[in-house]
Amino acid sequence: MTVAPAPWTDPASVPLIRFDGVSKRFGDVVAVDRVDLAIHKGEFFSLLGASGCGKTTLLRMLAGFEAPSDGRILIDGADVTAVPPYERPVNMMFQSYALFPHMTVAGNIAFGLKQDGLARPVIAAKVKAVLDLVQMGKFADRKPHQLSGGQRQRVALARCLAKEPKVLLLDEPLGALDKKLRQQTQLELVNIQDRVGVTFVMVTHDQEEAMTMSSRIGVMNAGRIQQVGTPVEIYEYPQSRYVADFIGAANMFEGTVSSASSAGVVVACPELAHDLTTAHADPLAGGHPVTVMVRPEKMSIGRDAPADGFNWARGTVADIAYLGDVSIYHVRLDSGRKVEALQANLRHTERHKLTWDDPVFLSWHPADALVLTR
Amino acid sequence: MILYVLLAFAYAFLYIPIVVMMVFSFNASKLVTVWGGFSTKWYAELLTNEKVLDAAWLSLKVAVVSATIATVLGTLAAVVLVRFRRFHGRTLFAGMVTAPLVMPEVIVGLALLLLFVAMEQAIGWPAGRSMTTIVVAHGTFSLSFVTVVVRSRLDRMDASLEEAAMDLGARPLRVFLSITLPLIAPALLAGWLLAFTLSIDDVVISSFVSGPGASPLPIVIFSKVRLGISPDINALATIVVALVGVAMAIAGRVALGRR
Ligand SMILES: Nc1ncnc2c1ncn2[C@@H]1O[C@H](COP(=O)(O)OP(=O)(O)OP(=O)(O)O)[C@@H](O)[C@H]1O
Ligand SMILES: [Mg+2]
């Protein structure tokens, strides 16, 4: 799946979907709070966030099931804020799949096509084509209750795809599947999206799922979009403490800026014996409170003091979680604070001999230390 | 164990008289309490009794029409209550729809009678007590029962089915006809049969709103019984019990059975 050049980096590209200051209030509850968001044609966009942060509500507003309290929603340049669901060029795949129990698989898929007033032979041909696409051709005459969870999920997908929508909305599409089937289906979904070229907007609270499937991810918290970016951007360059903490594991050190130069910002952390050097380009004023974030796999662990120019911290091994391919070392710093370091289990290094209570040095490159101001 | 005995006793108390009555409807003797051999002559006699036949026919018509009206209106009320969660006066509406379930029938009957009399004086309709007034009265009070049955079905139905249909391009009316209606159909049938039986065996309300020209079956039975029990009443009652029994059995099957 190569999207080159990425449309969201091109300022001239017109987004397919635009949220323009959209809010949704249910009584006193603010479910979605002033969201601005642009999603481009052909994207696989994921909305990721903790439970109750407003993902489903945002998706339902795009489908037309909820009306925004404020703001506008545009699809393909047209304001659809007041357009009812049955006239929007989007289709939604429900978490419960919402297959009609009194219709066969083929009947379910034909239902949407009948609403478009297509001729019978055209409908039959489309039903067949889309069932073949999801490899469910054999099951056309079954009723939904005669299918397994994974098969129902395919039928639900086929039912949406048959309508050839501009946008396909998926609310936790794989939530009801077991882990193995889920991983397999993730790849299949991406493949199908690639083949049909429809823009997908998916809601999930599984970050691994979002990372593997998406072209871009929007991280939500308490009704607000915290950050939008590619999986790499979100993981490597989180812009706030919330995102850094929510995606993957993170070691955070609170501190204040002690000096800033073209080479980067130096941060004084009361927890550490020495100042941290970073490659942060934005020249912050001295005394500015910041958080320095380092991912566990970027920290190297060893008995010897690190080379010059590296950041380091000293501590003792408090715990080792052996995961086979990698181990996670929980190190208690001299300040009493615990830090995680993740290392591949290579046999030729001295690391694999480390054990509990060993005194160790943790070290990391300035470029791997991220300065967060929010 | 004691509980079972008590239960058996209670049901015996309820059903033995009915069974006895059914048995005696085939009694050849004219005496209600003495068995005189098997005969179906009381059934034959019933079939020649104009008054009873007219009443039965009226009852049947009233039951069918009022059950149909109650089902249509009751379903609409249920849909409004379940699907339109927020509108002014919803709580009041919900209360008013279900209140007749617990209202004493005497009061409902009297109130309806007063209404009909007042309306007749004001606008000249309905003229006297006729089939129309019975249908209106029965339709009104069995509406609540239909609403309760349909509402519980709608409550259990996954609302995302309707949303999915709308999402696939179906307008609200199409959604209702193609998705909602087929899925709640068993409840509609159960509700209709319930309304039908309520109407067939209603005495209290009918006694207020029926007139000399239009007396439904239970009223006729009631007035006959007051003149003394004759075996043809047993035959009539047996038919009514059979009819109601069948209707309730179907309603029960439909409501509990297939989803
Ligand atoms: N119809 C509604 N009426 C009142 N409050 C609602 C309604 N729908 C959602 N909310 C509230 O809005 C907030 C956001 O809900 P939403 O369903 O969008 O969360 P979510 O991010 O999808 O969560 P999850 O991951 O658990 O599905 C929640 O606090 C929820 O209680
Ligand atoms: Mg949700």
Short mmCIF file of all heavy atoms in Angstrom, two decimals, chain A residues 151-197:
data_model
loop_
_atom_site.label_atom_id
_atom_site.label_comp_id
_atom_site.label_asym_id
_atom_site.label_seq_id
_atom_site.Cartn_x
_atom_site.Cartn_y
_atom_site.Cartn_z
N GLN A 151 -17.75 -14.70 9.19
CA GLN A 151 -18.52 -14.68 7.93
C GLN A 151 -19.52 -13.54 7.93
O GLN A 151 -19.70 -12.86 6.93
CB GLN A 151 -19.24 -16.02 7.75
CG GLN A 151 -18.28 -17.16 7.47
CD GLN A 151 -18.94 -18.52 7.61
OE1 GLN A 151 -19.95 -18.67 8.29
NE2 GLN A 151 -18.36 -19.51 6.96
N ARG A 152 -20.12 -13.29 9.10
CA ARG A 152 -21.07 -12.17 9.19
C ARG A 152 -20.36 -10.86 8.91
O ARG A 152 -20.88 -9.98 8.24
CB ARG A 152 -21.66 -12.12 10.60
CG ARG A 152 -22.93 -12.90 10.69
CD ARG A 152 -23.47 -12.85 12.09
NE ARG A 152 -23.64 -14.21 12.55
CZ ARG A 152 -23.93 -14.56 13.78
NH1 ARG A 152 -24.05 -13.61 14.70
NH2 ARG A 152 -24.09 -15.80 14.09
N GLN A 153 -19.15 -10.77 9.45
CA GLN A 153 -18.38 -9.55 9.27
C GLN A 153 -18.11 -9.31 7.78
O GLN A 153 -18.21 -8.19 7.30
CB GLN A 153 -17.08 -9.71 10.07
CG GLN A 153 -16.24 -8.47 10.17
CD GLN A 153 -15.07 -8.51 9.22
OE1 GLN A 153 -14.83 -9.51 8.54
NE2 GLN A 153 -14.36 -7.42 9.18
N ARG A 154 -17.82 -10.38 7.03
CA ARG A 154 -17.59 -10.23 5.60
C ARG A 154 -18.85 -9.79 4.87
O ARG A 154 -18.79 -8.97 3.96
CB ARG A 154 -17.16 -11.57 4.99
CG ARG A 154 -15.74 -11.92 5.27
CD ARG A 154 -15.63 -13.42 5.31
NE ARG A 154 -14.33 -13.79 5.80
CZ ARG A 154 -13.29 -13.96 5.01
NH1 ARG A 154 -13.39 -13.81 3.71
NH2 ARG A 154 -12.12 -14.27 5.52
N VAL A 155 -19.98 -10.38 5.28
CA VAL A 155 -21.24 -10.01 4.63
C VAL A 155 -21.54 -8.53 4.88
O VAL A 155 -21.93 -7.79 3.97
CB VAL A 155 -22.40 -10.89 5.13
CG1 VAL A 155 -23.72 -10.42 4.54
CG2 VAL A 155 -22.15 -12.34 4.78
N ALA A 156 -21.32 -8.11 6.12
CA ALA A 156 -21.57 -6.70 6.46
C ALA A 156 -20.68 -5.80 5.61
O ALA A 156 -21.13 -4.76 5.10
CB ALA A 156 -21.31 -6.46 7.94
N LEU A 157 -19.45 -6.22 5.42
CA LEU A 157 -18.53 -5.43 4.60
C LEU A 157 -19.01 -5.41 3.15
O LEU A 157 -19.05 -4.36 2.50
CB LEU A 157 -17.12 -6.03 4.69
CG LEU A 157 -16.05 -5.34 3.87
CD1 LEU A 157 -15.81 -3.93 4.41
CD2 LEU A 157 -14.74 -6.13 3.90
N ALA A 158 -19.40 -6.59 2.67
CA ALA A 158 -19.86 -6.69 1.28
C ALA A 158 -21.09 -5.82 1.05
O ALA A 158 -21.23 -5.17 0.01
CB ALA A 158 -20.17 -8.15 0.94
N ARG A 159 -21.98 -5.80 2.04
CA ARG A 159 -23.20 -5.02 1.90
C ARG A 159 -22.88 -3.54 1.72
O ARG A 159 -23.54 -2.85 0.95
CB ARG A 159 -24.07 -5.23 3.15
CG ARG A 159 -25.44 -4.64 3.04
CD ARG A 159 -26.32 -5.03 4.18
NE ARG A 159 -25.91 -4.39 5.43
CZ ARG A 159 -26.57 -4.53 6.57
NH1 ARG A 159 -27.63 -5.30 6.64
NH2 ARG A 159 -26.15 -3.94 7.67
N CYS A 160 -21.87 -3.07 2.44
CA CYS A 160 -21.47 -1.67 2.30
C CYS A 160 -20.78 -1.44 0.96
O CYS A 160 -21.06 -0.47 0.26
CB CYS A 160 -20.52 -1.27 3.42
SG CYS A 160 -21.28 -1.25 5.02
N LEU A 161 -19.86 -2.34 0.61
CA LEU A 161 -19.07 -2.15 -0.62
C LEU A 161 -19.95 -2.16 -1.86
O LEU A 161 -19.67 -1.46 -2.84
CB LEU A 161 -17.99 -3.22 -0.73
CG LEU A 161 -16.85 -3.10 0.27
CD1 LEU A 161 -15.91 -4.29 0.13
CD2 LEU A 161 -16.09 -1.79 0.08
N ALA A 162 -21.03 -2.96 -1.82
CA ALA A 162 -21.91 -3.06 -2.98
C ALA A 162 -22.47 -1.70 -3.36
O ALA A 162 -22.75 -1.43 -4.53
CB ALA A 162 -23.04 -4.04 -2.69
N LYS A 163 -22.63 -0.83 -2.37
CA LYS A 163 -23.19 0.49 -2.64
C LYS A 163 -22.18 1.42 -3.29
O LYS A 163 -22.51 2.55 -3.65
CB LYS A 163 -23.68 1.11 -1.33
CG LYS A 163 -24.86 0.44 -0.71
CD LYS A 163 -26.17 0.85 -1.34
CE LYS A 163 -26.57 2.27 -0.97
NZ LYS A 163 -27.86 2.65 -1.56
N GLU A 164 -20.93 0.98 -3.39
CA GLU A 164 -19.85 1.80 -3.92
C GLU A 164 -19.85 3.20 -3.33
O GLU A 164 -19.96 4.20 -4.05
CB GLU A 164 -19.94 1.86 -5.45
CG GLU A 164 -19.70 0.51 -6.09
CD GLU A 164 -20.03 0.48 -7.58
OE1 GLU A 164 -20.06 1.57 -8.19
OE2 GLU A 164 -20.25 -0.61 -8.10
N PRO A 165 -19.74 3.28 -2.00
CA PRO A 165 -19.78 4.60 -1.37
C PRO A 165 -18.47 5.35 -1.59
O PRO A 165 -17.46 4.75 -1.96
CB PRO A 165 -19.95 4.26 0.12
CG PRO A 165 -19.28 2.94 0.27
CD PRO A 165 -19.47 2.21 -1.03
N LYS A 166 -18.52 6.66 -1.38
CA LYS A 166 -17.28 7.43 -1.43
C LYS A 166 -16.45 7.16 -0.19
O LYS A 166 -15.24 7.19 -0.22
CB LYS A 166 -17.60 8.92 -1.50
CG LYS A 166 -18.08 9.36 -2.87
CD LYS A 166 -18.35 10.84 -2.91
CE LYS A 166 -18.90 11.23 -4.27
NZ LYS A 166 -19.56 12.54 -4.24
N VAL A 167 -17.18 6.94 0.92
CA VAL A 167 -16.50 6.69 2.19
C VAL A 167 -17.14 5.49 2.86
O VAL A 167 -18.36 5.36 2.88
CB VAL A 167 -16.63 7.90 3.14
CG1 VAL A 167 -15.80 7.68 4.38
CG2 VAL A 167 -16.24 9.18 2.45
N LEU A 168 -16.30 4.62 3.40
CA LEU A 168 -16.81 3.49 4.17
C LEU A 168 -16.43 3.72 5.63
O LEU A 168 -15.26 3.96 5.94
CB LEU A 168 -16.21 2.19 3.66
CG LEU A 168 -16.72 0.93 4.34
CD1 LEU A 168 -18.20 0.75 4.08
CD2 LEU A 168 -15.98 -0.29 3.83
N LEU A 169 -17.43 3.68 6.50
CA LEU A 169 -17.18 3.90 7.91
C LEU A 169 -17.22 2.57 8.64
O LEU A 169 -18.12 1.77 8.43
CB LEU A 169 -18.26 4.83 8.49
CG LEU A 169 -18.51 6.11 7.71
CD1 LEU A 169 -19.66 6.89 8.34
CD2 LEU A 169 -17.27 6.97 7.67
N LEU A 170 -16.24 2.33 9.48
CA LEU A 170 -16.18 1.06 10.21
C LEU A 170 -16.06 1.33 11.69
O LEU A 170 -15.09 1.96 12.13
CB LEU A 170 -14.99 0.24 9.74
CG LEU A 170 -14.86 -0.01 8.24
CD1 LEU A 170 -13.66 0.73 7.69
CD2 LEU A 170 -14.75 -1.47 7.93
N ASP A 171 -17.05 0.91 12.47
CA ASP A 171 -16.99 1.10 13.91
C ASP A 171 -16.50 -0.19 14.57
O ASP A 171 -17.25 -1.15 14.66
CB ASP A 171 -18.37 1.49 14.46
CG ASP A 171 -18.29 1.98 15.90
OD1 ASP A 171 -17.18 1.96 16.47
OD2 ASP A 171 -19.33 2.36 16.44
N GLU A 172 -15.27 -0.19 14.99
CA GLU A 172 -14.64 -1.37 15.59
C GLU A 172 -15.01 -2.63 14.81
O GLU A 172 -15.62 -3.54 15.36
CB GLU A 172 -15.08 -1.51 17.05
CG GLU A 172 -14.94 -0.19 17.78
CD GLU A 172 -14.39 -0.33 19.17
OE1 GLU A 172 -14.05 -1.45 19.57
OE2 GLU A 172 -14.28 0.68 19.85
N PRO A 173 -14.62 -2.68 13.53
CA PRO A 173 -15.10 -3.75 12.67
C PRO A 173 -14.64 -5.14 13.12
O PRO A 173 -15.28 -6.13 12.81
CB PRO A 173 -14.47 -3.41 11.31
CG PRO A 173 -13.29 -2.57 11.63
CD PRO A 173 -13.67 -1.79 12.85
N LEU A 174 -13.55 -5.20 13.86
CA LEU A 174 -13.00 -6.51 14.21
C LEU A 174 -13.18 -6.81 15.69
O LEU A 174 -12.66 -7.80 16.19
CB LEU A 174 -11.52 -6.55 13.84
CG LEU A 174 -11.22 -6.05 12.42
CD1 LEU A 174 -9.74 -6.03 12.15
CD2 LEU A 174 -11.93 -6.90 11.40
N GLY A 175 -13.93 -5.96 16.37
CA GLY A 175 -14.07 -6.09 17.82
C GLY A 175 -14.61 -7.43 18.26
O GLY A 175 -14.25 -7.94 19.31
N ALA A 176 -15.48 -8.04 17.43
CA ALA A 176 -16.15 -9.27 17.86
C ALA A 176 -15.39 -10.53 17.44
O ALA A 176 -15.85 -11.63 17.67
CB ALA A 176 -17.57 -9.31 17.29
N LEU A 177 -14.23 -10.36 16.81
CA LEU A 177 -13.49 -11.54 16.33
C LEU A 177 -12.39 -11.91 17.32
O LEU A 177 -11.87 -11.07 18.03
CB LEU A 177 -12.87 -11.24 14.97
CG LEU A 177 -13.83 -10.73 13.89
CD1 LEU A 177 -13.09 -10.53 12.57
CD2 LEU A 177 -14.99 -11.68 13.71
N ASP A 178 -12.02 -13.20 17.32
CA ASP A 178 -10.92 -13.59 18.20
C ASP A 178 -9.59 -13.15 17.59
O ASP A 178 -9.50 -12.75 16.45
CB ASP A 178 -10.95 -15.09 18.50
CG ASP A 178 -10.74 -15.92 17.26
OD1 ASP A 178 -9.74 -15.70 16.55
OD2 ASP A 178 -11.58 -16.80 16.99
N LYS A 179 -8.54 -13.23 18.41
CA LYS A 179 -7.29 -12.57 18.07
C LYS A 179 -6.71 -13.04 16.73
O LYS A 179 -6.29 -12.23 15.90
CB LYS A 179 -6.28 -12.83 19.19
CG LYS A 179 -5.13 -11.88 19.10
CD LYS A 179 -4.25 -11.92 20.31
CE LYS A 179 -3.05 -11.11 19.91
NZ LYS A 179 -2.01 -10.84 20.60
N LYS A 180 -6.71 -14.33 16.51
CA LYS A 180 -6.10 -14.89 15.30
C LYS A 180 -6.83 -14.40 14.06
O LYS A 180 -6.25 -13.87 13.12
CB LYS A 180 -6.18 -16.42 15.41
CG LYS A 180 -5.47 -17.15 14.32
CD LYS A 180 -4.34 -17.99 14.89
CE LYS A 180 -3.45 -18.52 13.79
NZ LYS A 180 -4.07 -19.64 13.09
N LEU A 181 -8.17 -14.57 14.11
CA LEU A 181 -9.01 -14.17 12.98
C LEU A 181 -8.87 -12.67 12.75
O LEU A 181 -8.92 -12.18 11.62
CB LEU A 181 -10.46 -14.54 13.29
CG LEU A 181 -11.45 -14.46 12.14
CD1 LEU A 181 -10.99 -15.31 10.99
CD2 LEU A 181 -12.83 -14.89 12.62
N ARG A 182 -8.67 -11.96 13.84
CA ARG A 182 -8.59 -10.51 13.75
C ARG A 182 -7.38 -10.08 12.94
O ARG A 182 -7.49 -9.25 12.04
CB ARG A 182 -8.49 -9.96 15.16
CG ARG A 182 -8.88 -8.54 15.21
CD ARG A 182 -9.58 -8.24 16.48
NE ARG A 182 -8.66 -7.54 17.33
CZ ARG A 182 -8.87 -7.33 18.60
NH1 ARG A 182 -9.94 -7.81 19.15
NH2 ARG A 182 -8.02 -6.68 19.30
N GLN A 183 -6.23 -10.69 13.23
CA GLN A 183 -5.02 -10.30 12.52
C GLN A 183 -5.13 -10.63 11.04
O GLN A 183 -4.71 -9.86 10.17
CB GLN A 183 -3.82 -11.00 13.14
CG GLN A 183 -3.50 -10.43 14.50
CD GLN A 183 -2.43 -11.19 15.23
OE1 GLN A 183 -2.14 -12.34 14.90
NE2 GLN A 183 -1.84 -10.56 16.22
N GLN A 184 -5.73 -11.79 10.76
CA GLN A 184 -5.90 -12.20 9.38
C GLN A 184 -6.84 -11.23 8.66
O GLN A 184 -6.58 -10.81 7.54
CB GLN A 184 -6.50 -13.61 9.42
CG GLN A 184 -6.58 -14.34 8.12
CD GLN A 184 -7.38 -15.62 8.35
OE1 GLN A 184 -7.34 -16.22 9.42
NE2 GLN A 184 -8.11 -16.04 7.35
N THR A 185 -7.93 -10.86 9.35
CA THR A 185 -8.91 -9.97 8.75
C THR A 185 -8.37 -8.56 8.56
O THR A 185 -8.73 -7.88 7.62
CB THR A 185 -10.19 -9.94 9.60
OG1 THR A 185 -10.50 -11.26 10.00
CG2 THR A 185 -11.34 -9.38 8.83
N GLN A 186 -7.48 -8.14 9.46
CA GLN A 186 -6.86 -6.82 9.31
C GLN A 186 -6.18 -6.70 7.96
O GLN A 186 -6.40 -5.75 7.22
CB GLN A 186 -5.81 -6.60 10.40
CG GLN A 186 -6.41 -6.29 11.76
CD GLN A 186 -5.35 -6.22 12.84
OE1 GLN A 186 -4.16 -6.36 12.57
NE2 GLN A 186 -5.78 -6.00 14.06
N LEU A 187 -5.39 -7.71 7.64
CA LEU A 187 -4.68 -7.69 6.36
C LEU A 187 -5.66 -7.72 5.20
O LEU A 187 -5.50 -6.99 4.22
CB LEU A 187 -3.74 -8.89 6.27
CG LEU A 187 -2.52 -8.79 7.18
CD1 LEU A 187 -1.68 -10.05 7.06
CD2 LEU A 187 -1.70 -7.57 6.80
N GLU A 188 -6.69 -8.57 5.33
CA GLU A 188 -7.67 -8.68 4.27
C GLU A 188 -8.38 -7.36 4.01
O GLU A 188 -8.57 -6.95 2.88
CB GLU A 188 -8.71 -9.73 4.65
CG GLU A 188 -8.62 -10.98 3.81
CD GLU A 188 -9.53 -12.04 4.38
OE1 GLU A 188 -10.75 -11.84 4.31
OE2 GLU A 188 -9.00 -13.04 4.90
N LEU A 189 -8.75 -6.70 5.10
CA LEU A 189 -9.44 -5.41 4.98
C LEU A 189 -8.56 -4.42 4.22
O LEU A 189 -9.03 -3.71 3.33
CB LEU A 189 -9.74 -4.85 6.37
CG LEU A 189 -11.15 -4.99 6.90
CD1 LEU A 189 -11.28 -4.28 8.23
CD2 LEU A 189 -12.14 -4.40 5.92
N VAL A 190 -7.28 -4.38 4.59
CA VAL A 190 -6.36 -3.47 3.92
C VAL A 190 -6.25 -3.82 2.45
O VAL A 190 -6.26 -2.93 1.58
CB VAL A 190 -4.99 -3.49 4.61
CG1 VAL A 190 -3.98 -2.68 3.83
CG2 VAL A 190 -5.10 -2.97 6.03
N ASN A 191 -6.19 -5.11 2.15
CA ASN A 191 -6.11 -5.54 0.76
C ASN A 191 -7.34 -5.12 -0.03
O ASN A 191 -7.24 -4.62 -1.15
CB ASN A 191 -5.99 -7.07 0.68
CG ASN A 191 -4.56 -7.50 0.91
OD1 ASN A 191 -3.64 -6.70 0.69
ND2 ASN A 191 -4.37 -8.73 1.36
N ILE A 192 -8.51 -5.36 0.57
CA ILE A 192 -9.75 -5.01 -0.11
C ILE A 192 -9.82 -3.50 -0.33
O ILE A 192 -10.16 -3.03 -1.41
CB ILE A 192 -10.96 -5.49 0.71
CG1 ILE A 192 -11.05 -7.02 0.61
CG2 ILE A 192 -12.25 -4.85 0.22
CD1 ILE A 192 -12.14 -7.62 1.47
N GLN A 193 -9.41 -2.74 0.68
CA GLN A 193 -9.44 -1.29 0.55
C GLN A 193 -8.53 -0.86 -0.59
O GLN A 193 -8.87 0.02 -1.38
CB GLN A 193 -8.97 -0.66 1.86
CG GLN A 193 -9.31 0.81 1.97
CD GLN A 193 -8.10 1.70 1.81
OE1 GLN A 193 -6.97 1.23 1.81
NE2 GLN A 193 -8.36 2.98 1.67
N ASP A 194 -7.40 -1.51 -0.69
CA ASP A 194 -6.45 -1.21 -1.75
C ASP A 194 -7.05 -1.48 -3.12
O ASP A 194 -6.89 -0.73 -4.07
CB ASP A 194 -5.21 -2.10 -1.55
CG ASP A 194 -3.95 -1.38 -1.94
OD1 ASP A 194 -4.02 -0.13 -2.06
OD2 ASP A 194 -2.93 -2.04 -2.14
N ARG A 195 -7.81 -2.60 -3.21
CA ARG A 195 -8.37 -3.01 -4.49
C ARG A 195 -9.54 -2.12 -4.92
O ARG A 195 -9.63 -1.73 -6.07
CB ARG A 195 -8.84 -4.47 -4.40
CG ARG A 195 -8.09 -5.35 -5.42
CD ARG A 195 -8.57 -6.77 -5.35
NE ARG A 195 -8.41 -7.32 -4.01
CZ ARG A 195 -9.04 -8.41 -3.59
NH1 ARG A 195 -9.87 -9.05 -4.38
NH2 ARG A 195 -8.84 -8.88 -2.38
N VAL A 196 -10.44 -1.81 -3.99
CA VAL A 196 -11.61 -1.03 -4.38
C VAL A 196 -11.36 0.47 -4.34
O VAL A 196 -12.10 1.24 -4.95
CB VAL A 196 -12.85 -1.37 -3.52
CG1 VAL A 196 -13.27 -2.80 -3.73
CG2 VAL A 196 -12.58 -1.10 -2.06
N GLY A 197 -10.31 0.87 -3.63
CA GLY A 197 -9.94 2.28 -3.64
C GLY A 197 -10.88 3.20 -2.89
O GLY A 197 -10.82 4.42 -3.05
#
